[in-house]
Amino acid sequence: MCTVCGCGSGEVKIGGAVRPRGAARKPAATRAWKALGEHQHEHVHPDGTRHSHPHEHPHDHDHMHDAEPTAAMAHVEDGEGHLHFGAGPAHAHVPGLSQAQMVKIERDILGKNDLQAEANRRWLAERGIFALNLVSSPGSGKTTLLVRTINELAGRVPVAVIEGDQQTEFDAERIRATGAPALQINTGKGCHLDADMVGRAFERMDLAERSLLLIENVGNLVCPAAFDLGEAHKVAILSVTEGEDKPLKYPDLFAAADLLLLNKVDLLPHLAFDVERAIGYARRVNPDVQVIRTSAVSGEGIAEWLAWIERGLAGRA
Amino acid sequence: MHEMSLAEGVRGIVEETVAAQGLRAVKAIVLEIGELSSVEPDALAFCLEAVLRDTVAEGARIEIERIAGAGWCLECDRTVPLAQRYDACPNCGGYRVQPTAGTEMRVRELEAD
């Protein structure tokens, strides 16, 4: 379930294959849970599942004696490293002391997603892939802009696309028509992509090194703001056929973006949209946001957008 | 925000902790919810009561500690109190304020057997 809005996540389809959430990834038997003193650790299971988790070395306490080994004590990892908590239930190993006590957790409620996002980020960095997470309302012109972007970059930069929608392959088909590889994730009842879905998409895609990966999130101005996918930047797209006050109505999403594309500007002569006011509102919630005015139809701003992408790609190389 | 689903996230963390630590019962769950995080504490406590049914944390006391909002104003070059995430600086009226406290949504600790 979405931990922001409560929408379901019962049936996620990645590239057409139905994979119930929870069944695809084995629970991490070696998962550590303490926030303090931990560091990240990534490994690959024999079945090819890659994951990372905090890894800690608690040593500053006595070991429990005269007791059956607990699940916590039994943790041993293959290969490098291991966990040895050396403590019984709730670390209660002093005779006569009540076992009721406080167990420190210090975990973010969205921490699981953030861990997977960091694993995704490392995976992308190792391959020099520049990934952008495109967030907007439905109908802002994301897919049309992507098609134009891919066509402009053809022959210069390899581009792949992950498409997120609740249902249908329509968007992935539009991208594939350009010749670029595209994987459709259908979130079912879900309202956003999360880091786990995107990580699983990587496994199914043959992504070129030093390429551009465009992740088109589900059209939604609320939930995608809270979910890091491991991207280099979130790019918000606001079309001029929407209200210019959207950055104030949905501030979290505009605050999370590094770049705002003000899209469909070819329609401005027909609208009462106040461009400067919209940009002012966006800068109120995000003073450092960069803004490019784009139109996939007239081509306005496309060169500037491509230059922004190419600067990002150069930074990866 | 939508507290039922956040409650599901809390339950997941509690269940992982219970399994990893071999706990028998959870008597209390202590959460830190920042005042800028848009979470309604009463609604979250209500939802937790529902989602913790039939777990070892059923009936656990829910303690929610609020963390006051604060931000760093780039114009004033100091920390200022913030009542809402995108408010102007109470000192200079500018919007170049980066939240530095109050956005937390954390499970801090459990009281357990």
Side-chain angles (χ1 to χ4, degrees), chain B residues 18-36:
Chain B
V18 163
Q21 297 285 300
L23 304 176
R24 289 195 308 253
V26 175
K27 293 177 167 178
I29 300 171
V30 184
L31 306 175
E32 292 177 346
I33 302 294
E35 287 181 349
L36 307 183

Side-chain angles (χ1 to χ4, degrees), chain A residues 32-315:
Chain A
W33 50 270
K34 276 190 182 170
L36 299 174
E38 68 188 18
H39 59 261
Q40 296 301 313
H41 171 81
E42 181 172 341
H43 63 203
V44 181
H45 284 281
D47 65 0
T49 307
R50 177 189 299 273
H51 73 184
S52 71
H53 54 78
H55 180 74
E56 63 171 329
H57 307 272
H59 289 294
D60 54 346
H61 54 75
D62 295 326
H63 287 263
M64 184 176 68
H65 302 287
D66 305 318
E68 290 294 312
T70 65
M73 290 176 70
H75 286 328
V76 177
E77 269 180 56
D78 289 335
E80 52 158 317
H82 56 274
L83 284 175
H84 45 99
F85 285 85
H91 292 224
H93 49 267
V94 180
L97 196 70
S98 163
Q99 288 201 336
Q101 58 181 290
M102 303 310 286
V103 180
K104 278 275 176 206
I105 298 182
E106 304 279 5
R107 264 176 61 179
D108 286 342
I109 295 175
L110 292 175
K112 201 167 182 173
N113 183 77
D114 292 344
L115 277 179
Q116 180 63 44
E118 279 310 310
N120 291 352
R121 191 164 279 118
R122 280 194 302 279
W123 191 94
L124 292 164
E126 284 162 12
R127 290 159 182 78
I129 298 169
F130 184 55
L132 299 176
N133 177 2
L134 303 163
V135 290
S136 81
S137 315
S140 66
K142 283 193 295 300
T143 311
T144 305
L145 191 66
L146 288 194
V147 167
R148 173 102 193 208
T149 303
I150 293 164
N151 287 336
E152 298 273 350
L153 289 173
R156 285 197 280 163
V157 179
V159 186
V161 176
I162 294 174
E163 284 285 346
D165 281 301
Q166 279 199 314
Q167 299 292 346
T168 81
E169 288 261 334
F170 296 165
D171 280 359
E173 284 162 8
R174 284 175 65 188
I175 299 295
R176 286 183 201 124
T178 68
L183 186 78
Q184 181 80 48
I185 298 178
N186 287 140
T187 57
K189 298 182 186 67
C191 56
H192 61 271
L193 297 176
D194 66 32
D196 182 56
M197 292 177 197
V198 171
R200 285 195 273 144
F202 292 167
E203 295 166 12
R204 296 173 59 98
M205 299 179 82
D206 188 18
L207 295 171
E209 298 211 348
R210 299 178 194 284
S211 63
L212 172 66
L213 175 63
L214 299 167
I215 304 169
E216 185 180 334
N217 217 313
V218 178
N220 177 349
L221 287 177
V222 183
C223 306
F227 289 83
D228 184 4
L229 306 180
E231 71 276 353
H233 302 284
K234 283 191 178 73
V235 177
I237 300 167
L238 174 65
S239 67
V240 298
T241 52
E242 305 171 55
E244 61 254 293
D245 52 3
K246 272 199 174 160
L248 296 186
K249 288 178 169 173
Y250 302 96
D252 289 319
L253 187 118
F254 290 93
D258 295 318
L259 175 66
L260 170 63
L261 299 180
L262 201 58
N263 198 28
K264 304 190 188 178
V265 291
D266 56 296
L267 296 176
L268 279 172
H270 311 288
L271 303 167
F273 188 91
D274 185 334
V275 169
E276 292 308 323
R277 184 190 283 183
I279 294 173
Y281 287 156
R283 294 235 160 95
R284 189 185 291 184
V285 300
N286 186 349
D288 298 319
V289 71
Q290 298 179 63
V291 182
I292 302 176
R293 304 173 196 199
T294 53
S295 166
V297 175
S298 72
E300 182 177 345
I302 297 296
E304 196 182 343
W305 158 235
L306 297 177
W308 186 89
I309 290 173
E310 290 187 318
R311 279 198 300 278
L313 279 162

